[in-house]
Amino acid sequence: HAKKQGRNGYRFFEPNMNTDVRLQMQLQQDLRQAIHRDELELYYQPKMVAPDGPVTGLEALLRWQSPTHGFLTPDRFLSLAESSGLIVPIGNWVINEACRQMKVWFDQGHGDWSVAVNLSAVQLEHTSLVDVVRTALEEHELAPSHLVLEITESTAMRDAEASLKVLNQLSALGVSISIDDFGTGYSSLLYLKRLPANELKIDRGFITELAQGNDDEAIIQAIIALGKTLDMKIVAEGVETSEQQALLTRLGCDALQGYLLGRPGPAGGLLKEAVPPEKAPEPTPVFQ
Ligand code: C2E
Ligand code: MG
Ligand code: MG
Ligand code: MG
């Protein structure tokens, strides 16, 4: 019963449809076209050992420059991409594009960098993932050690045993596995021990109000001890102040990520200086 041609020019919307629903439907229609219309872009945020230290890796963060909806971050379209299944082709594009860019950086002399890609549960559960990753690495002649796949505990736990199988296959390829937003999920320590993970990222939620002697410091200490016991590299997310940076470094984090070190920005040159968040709203690039 979709209208043939609405007054507004959109075919599939009932005129009395709730505005939110309409917007979601239009977003989904447009997102479907976004890949081949070349509207998706990856921003990159550095992972660093210290503010003045070297970059060790970069996390690829998806952005959608839509002609109708504007510049969108994942909070505006990721759940829609997941529920519609569009996250599979989009995620494949992300993996491929991140490998392509990493190869460019490698050829420019950044042989010690790795690029991290976020994975949704839908991607992890899709049968093609291992092949997609293997093919992307081959196509761009990129060594697997330059690719990190970030999954959250909740992503892995949706189908815990199946996830473990796929993650073991990915790990066998030689790519690294990173546990994102650690501390927000509900996986058991036993499961964590079985995961073939190389890196653990402490969720921003524990960093925001971090101060010496408070509960967050104690929790972070415990997470670091746990991660190190399981032989994982520890990364802190959402580092915004030099006080947080100093404390996290002293507590033993191996790398830091956050606005203090660098904001996400388009691929492009080398980091010049970290800009305080309030002075540099996105999409100010970290790279110039
Ligand atoms: P995430 O993987 O935990 O990424 C970190 C998020 O925190 C990013 O948001 C980043 O811009 C933001 N961030 C970094 N440093 C700071 C800081 O100092 N302070 C604050 N307040 N925020 C900071 P973004 O780019 O909006 O991405 C949100 C989430 O969307 C990501 O969280 C990730 O779960 C998901 N995502 C992003 N790109 C992709 C993708 O290509 N595929 C999939 N499946 N998910 C993605
Ligand atoms: Mg991430
Ligand atoms: Mg995270
Ligand atoms: Mg997150």
Side-chain angles (χ1 to χ4, degrees):
H1 61 131
K3 285 182 77 178
K4 268 268 149 52
Q5 183 72 55
R7 224 180 321 156
N8 56 9
Y10 298 119
R11 295 181 52 157
F12 304 104
F13 309 123
E14 294 293 341
N16 60 351
M17 208 180 257
N18 174 306
T19 325
D20 272 8
V21 176
R22 277 187 190 225
L23 177 63
Q24 288 303 101
M25 284 183 70
Q26 203 199 324
L27 267 177
Q28 185 173 328
Q29 241 175 309
D30 294 342
L31 188 55
R32 203 176 287 282
Q33 313 292 334
I35 297 181
H36 58 258
R37 287 186 181 162
D38 207 22
E39 294 168 6
L40 299 179
E41 187 181 1
L42 292 183
Y43 269 26
Y44 296 91
Q45 184 179 37
K47 298 182 185 178
M48 299 171 77
V49 290
D52 49 359
V55 170
T56 54
L58 299 108
E59 178 173 9
L61 295 161
L62 186 58
R63 300 290 181 266
W64 177 19
Q65 181 68 66
S66 161
T68 36
H69 311 284
F71 181 81
L72 305 184
T73 50
D75 58 307
R76 288 284 306 283
F77 61 89
L78 196 61
S79 63
L80 188 69
E82 286 168 347
S83 62
S84 63
L86 284 171
I87 191 63
V88 172
I90 290 173
N92 292 350
W93 177 86
V94 171
I95 291 166
N96 207 67
E97 174 59 17
C99 288
R100 188 198 63 73
Q101 181 59 55
M102 183 60 234
K103 176 62 173 173
V104 171
W105 283 326
F106 182 90
D107 289 342
Q108 289 173 350
H110 300 295
D112 49 351
W113 289 4
S114 61
V115 71
V117 165
N118 292 284
L119 293 183
S120 293
V122 187
Q123 291 175 271
L124 201 62
E125 288 158 11
H126 199 270
T127 48
S128 68
L129 181 65
V130 179
D131 278 339
V132 167
V133 170
R134 187 193 296 114
T135 308
L137 291 168
E138 283 171 6
E139 196 161 305
H140 299 287
E141 299 177 315
L142 187 68
S145 58
H146 293 287
L147 182 63
V148 179
L149 299 173
E150 295 192 1
I151 49 144
T152 65
E153 292 167 84
S154 326
T155 293
M157 289 307 287
R158 224 168 71 155
D159 187 343
E161 290 307 313
S163 298
L164 209 51
K165 206 175 145 196
V166 176
L167 291 171
N168 278 318
Q169 288 174 337
L170 290 166
S171 184
L173 279 185
V175 306
S176 296
I177 307 295
S178 172
I179 304 176
D180 204 353
D181 301 351
F182 185 77
T184 63
Y186 56 95
S187 69
S188 71
L189 294 182
L190 201 57
Y191 186 73
L192 195 65
K193 184 183 137 191
R194 294 170 68 204
L195 278 178
N198 316 79
E199 182 182 274
L200 189 157
K201 299 181 76 174
I202 305 171
D203 188 72
R204 173 153 56 90
F206 299 107
I207 314 295
T208 314
E209 287 167 24
L210 171 65
Q212 199 170 342
N214 72 3
D215 285 352
D216 287 322
E217 185 192 18
I219 292 169
I220 288 169
Q221 271 178 315
I223 294 176
I224 292 174
L226 174 68
K228 297 223 157 153
T229 301
L230 296 174
D231 216 16
M232 293 190 232
K233 189 183 144 190
I234 313 292
V235 180
E237 298 190 283
V239 182
E240 296 187 356
T241 70
S242 44
E243 291 74 23
Q244 294 164 347
Q245 174 263 317
L247 193 45
L248 289 162
T249 308
R250 190 150 48 74
L251 292 176
C253 287
D254 299 294
L256 307 174
Q257 196 181 340
Y259 294 163
L260 177 76
L261 299 310
R263 301 178 72 86
L270 275 171
L271 181 67
K272 282 196 176 152
E273 61 183 313
V275 197
E278 65 277 9
K279 289 190 186 143
E282 248 188 307
T284 301
V286 247
F287 302 108
Q288 304 179 339

